[in-house]
Amino acid sequence: MIYTSKIQTDLLAQLETSVQHFSNEFEQAAELLSADPGASTLSVSASNAVSTAAGGDDVRLELSEDEEDQDESSELLSGQKAARGLWTFEYYQSFFNVDTVQVLDRVKGSVMPVPGRNFIKNHLRSNPDLYGPFWICVTLVFSVVISGNLSTFLGEMGHPSYHFRPQFHRVSIAAVVIFMYAWLVPVALWGFLTWRQGAERQIGGYSFLETVCVYGYSLFIYIPTSILWIIPFEWLRWTLILVAIGISGSVLVLTFWPVVRGDTKLMSVATVLTIVVLHTVLAVGCKMYFFQTAVHVPATMPPASHLNGQHTPLIHRQEGVRK
């Protein structure tokens, strides 16, 4: 009887200790949530919370599934991605890891530049992609070529001597020019900024992928512009060119000016001017080559004396044969 009562007393003591322990935990959690409502709590499993080993006590905390997913998401947002091999599919898949909402937001930012807003900082957010730039370049190639053919056809449709010939070779020319511009110019700019970063400590820099990404998205404005070039009015075409260059060039200037302004004044101005000039050359070159305006010179009849002079010997020769 005494032994039974002792066991009950021990059980009650252990139960009271457990209740006190859990009540302390709940009080701490309540204080934490009242101080910071967005804070996350750690769940400690009752069976695996404390494991006693020969060397001492070891406490193991287990995270819930939601907390693990949140931890992985924060890793991806901060740019800490697992290192993958260069020859693996996953390595290149990470460059196209964007959704429709992100692409539309970046396209919107490329056609609506706002002073003081950096395209890379406000739209890429340390997650540049190649999906948008690739399809923008492909779409621009076909829009320029198709619109150029339609413009030529509509302009020459009333002339009886004109025969329409689809100029498929222009697709190759447009692809080479646009893709070379979208890749080689960013490579040269990135290399130059990297070199200046080593020469001048105040010079910042973007990664190669970020530079290619901003150049690719900056070309989007030329797609609707090339479609509107079908309208056969030269003043309207040149106005559209100026508007497109102003919008697209503003995106590049607002993005790269914070990087180059720490350099010398001459080098900063020269870099920005080079970026704008190359962008202008691309737009004007596409307009001049793919949207050529044909000039028709009316055929003039030769003078009557010249005709008489040509036919007179023939008449004499024919008369001589008859004789």
Side-chain angles (χ1 to χ4, degrees), residues 144-221:
V144 167
V145 175
I146 294 174
S147 299
N149 284 334
L150 286 177
S151 176
T152 304
F153 174 74
L154 295 176
E156 301 287 343
M157 188 170 53
H159 299 279
S161 61
Y162 173 72
H163 300 284
F164 176 72
R165 296 177 182 178
Q167 300 175 345
F168 295 108
H169 67 281
R170 291 190 172 185
V171 177
S172 302
I173 297 175
V176 170
V177 171
I178 292 174
F179 275 95
M180 285 182 64
Y181 175 83
W183 280 93
L184 294 184
V185 174
V187 167
L189 180 60
W190 173 76
F192 174 77
L193 293 179
T194 303
W195 171 65
R196 294 302 299 174
Q197 185 178 6
E200 297 287 339
R201 296 299 180 183
Q202 297 179 354
I203 299 298
Y206 300 126
S207 66
F208 169 71
L209 192 59
E210 289 174 339
T211 307
V212 173
C213 187
V214 67
Y215 259 88
Y217 279 103
S218 68
L219 296 177
F220 177 82
I221 190 62

Side-chain angles (χ1 to χ4, degrees), residues 233-265:
F233 296 105
E234 284 297 310
W235 64 268
L236 179 60
R237 291 176 178 176
W238 286 109
T239 303
L240 292 172
I241 287 178
L242 294 177
V243 173
I245 293 174
I247 294 175
S248 186
S250 298
V251 174
L252 297 177
V253 172
L254 292 174
T255 301
F256 291 102
W257 175 250
V259 177
V260 301
R261 67 182 177 184
D263 204 343
T264 61
K265 184 177 181 180

Side-chain angles (χ1 to χ4, degrees), residues 139 143-144 147 222-231 240 291:
T139 307
S143 66
V144 167
S147 299
Y222 290 138
I223 296 176
T225 302
S226 63
I227 296 174
L228 293 176
W229 280 345
I230 298 176
I231 303 174
L240 292 172
F291 295 86

Side-chain angles (χ1 to χ4, degrees), residues 75-86:
E75 255 185 42
L76 291 176
L77 289 176
S78 63
Q80 297 175 355
K81 299 179 181 179
R84 299 182 178 91
L86 183 63

